[in-house]
Amino acid sequence: MDAPAEAMNMNPGPEPLNLAPCAASDWWTQHRGDSPVVATAIHDGHAVRDAVQRLCALDEAERLREEDPFTEFLIREFSNRIVVHRSRFEVDINRPRAGAVYLRPEQAWGLDVWAEEPPQAVVDASLSMHDEYYEMLKSFLAGIERCHGRFVVLDVHSYNHRRAGRKAEAAPAADAPDINIGTISMDRRKWACVVDDFMAALRSFDFPGGSLDVRENVAFQGRGEQTRVSRPEEFHQPASRRTVREPLDSHRSHQVNVFVPNAFQCTNSPGFSRASFRKKRLARVLWD
């Protein structure tokens, strides 16, 4: 009898990426596990509801350039993770509520987002997602604190290193590290040992194409709304509900920006292979 195909295939190659779309009505997906570390991909989403799509002046390719595709895959190995499925052009979870819907070009990299001004009802429906997300996040983090007494939030993004278009010159390497750690929102002196060790661990891996260029506060600084909400002075929980009586400055949150090729650069791109390889190792870096 012939051996099963699975047994014959001794070297199946890299695991294919599961690109199955989420349900059209999904706002986000959350996973909870036994860990004090939480990873988020809040700009991964590309979906917009019909009312927004009808009014939007941007096509899907234009939206994708400013979204963070594939960042979900960078956090798949974290047991605590949140992935937002809505496009930032519907509502930007990482902006303060007052600017979470891009109404003017200066809010959206000079882009004219709307073919016509959206009715207030459309804007309000988008802002309700923003409200619900932060209610969910505070509850989620409170649960982590009850179990572990503290938490770490890794807010994972990507950035486009060809700002003028896919055929434009890439940004100088000095301005575009492979991994940018944004730490403006945290007490850098207090957590220096954690940040420095984390960056050293990322640099230590021998990735295809060479070691990763890992730097701090170069392309982005970590000033987003989520990092603000996760900071100790913004995160409130009654002391009677906390199982470990520690000051809330035991919490830390920082942003990790990774160069991930956008959809136009993915097919047959060495950079994409490198990015997909990175995502398998990012979670392990925290503990190695």
Side-chain angles (χ1 to χ4, degrees), residues 126-154:
S126 296
L127 291 177
S128 71
M129 294 186 203
H130 192 277
D131 297 338
E132 292 297 326
Y133 178 82
Y134 282 105
E135 287 299 316
M136 176 278 297
L137 181 65
K138 290 179 180 180
S139 176
F140 192 95
L141 296 179
I144 302 294
E145 188 195 22
R146 284 195 298 273
C147 291
H148 299 280
R150 63 193 68 197
F151 53 77
V152 179
V153 179
L154 294 176

Side-chain angles (χ1 to χ4, degrees), residues 19 23 80 106 113 132 138 141 145 155 158 179 204 219 222 235 252:
L19 297 177
N80 297 314
E106 58 267 28
V113 174
E132 292 297 326
K138 290 179 180 180
L141 296 179
E145 188 195 22
D155 182 22
S158 65
I179 298 181
S204 70
F235 182 84
R252 51 198 182 270

Side-chain angles (χ1 to χ4, degrees), residues 150-196:
R150 63 193 68 197
F151 53 77
V152 179
V153 179
L154 294 176
D155 182 22
V156 179
H157 295 259
S158 65
Y159 65 93
N160 196 320
H161 74 317
R162 298 181 187 272
R163 293 301 305 157
R166 61 179 296 198
K167 296 182 179 179
E169 290 293 325
D175 301 329
D178 291 322
I179 298 181
N180 177 91
I181 308 295
T183 60
I184 291 296
S185 65
M186 64 187 297
D187 185 340
R188 182 63 171 81
R189 292 173 297 176
K190 179 171 183 176
W191 300 112
C193 59
V194 176
V195 176
D196 293 343

Side-chain angles (χ1 to χ4, degrees), residues 31-286:
H31 296 262
R32 174 69 191 274
D34 186 16
S35 168
V37 181
V38 180
T40 64
I42 58 178
H43 283 160
D44 182 83
H46 184 63
V48 295
R49 65 189 191 277
D50 289 344
V52 172
Q53 182 69 67
R54 287 193 295 268
L55 297 169
C56 186
L58 305 177
D59 60 28
E60 290 199 30
E62 290 173 308
R63 288 196 284 114
L64 192 63
R65 278 186 55 78
E66 301 300 343
E67 296 162 349
D68 294 351
F70 306 108
T71 47
E72 180 216 346
F73 298 103
L74 290 166
I75 67 171
R76 281 258 178 120
E77 292 187 45
F78 289 88
S79 56
N80 297 314
R81 61 191 187 273
I82 302 170
V83 179
V84 173
H85 302 303
R86 315 308 297 183
S87 171
R88 66 190 305 177
F89 287 96
E90 180 169 333
V91 60
D92 191 336
I93 296 297
N94 213 30
R95 298 274 182 96
R97 189 184 193 276
V101 176
Y102 308 149
L103 297 176
R104 303 183 304 278
E106 58 267 28
Q107 295 176 299
W109 312 276
L111 298 172
D112 290 313
V113 174
W114 303 100
E116 58 183 90
E117 183 176 353
Q120 190 60 44
V122 171
V123 174
D124 289 344
S126 296
L127 291 177
S128 71
M129 294 186 203
H130 192 277
D131 297 338
E132 292 297 326
Y133 178 82
Y134 282 105
E135 287 299 316
M136 176 278 297
L137 181 65
K138 290 179 180 180
S139 176
F140 192 95
L141 296 179
I144 302 294
E145 188 195 22
R146 284 195 298 273
C147 291
H148 299 280
R150 63 193 68 197
F151 53 77
V152 179
V153 179
L154 294 176
D155 182 22
V156 179
H157 295 259
S158 65
Y159 65 93
N160 196 320
H161 74 317
R162 298 181 187 272
R163 293 301 305 157
R166 61 179 296 198
K167 296 182 179 179
E169 290 293 325
D175 301 329
D178 291 322
I179 298 181
N180 177 91
I181 308 295
T183 60
I184 291 296
S185 65
M186 64 187 297
D187 185 340
R188 182 63 171 81
R189 292 173 297 176
K190 179 171 183 176
W191 300 112
C193 59
V194 176
V195 176
D196 293 343
D197 286 353
F198 180 47
M199 293 174 67
L202 289 170
R203 294 187 186 109
S204 70
F205 284 102
D206 183 18
F207 284 90
S211 299
L212 295 174
D213 176 13
V214 184
R215 284 177 280 154
E216 185 176 354
N217 299 330
V218 177
F220 295 90
Q221 292 75 45
R223 300 178 186 273
E225 179 71 356
Q226 181 168 269
T227 56
R228 184 191 67 78
V229 170
S230 302
R231 292 176 68 181
E233 61 267 31
E234 296 290 338
F235 182 84
H236 302 288
Q237 178 177 313
S240 61
R241 294 184 58 196
R242 292 168 53 206
T243 58
V244 178
R245 299 297 200 273
E246 291 186 354
L248 285 174
D249 65 359
S250 63
H251 304 157
R252 51 198 182 270
S253 173
H254 54 273
Q255 184 180 71
V256 181
N257 298 100
V258 185
F259 163 63
V260 179
N262 64 28
F264 301 115
Q265 300 166 308
C266 286
T267 306
N268 299 321
S269 166
F272 182 58
S273 298
R274 189 178 181 197
S276 61
F277 180 78
R278 290 176 200 164
K279 68 95 177 177
K280 294 182 170 69
R281 303 302 299 272
L282 182 60
R284 297 192 184 106
V285 165
L286 286 171

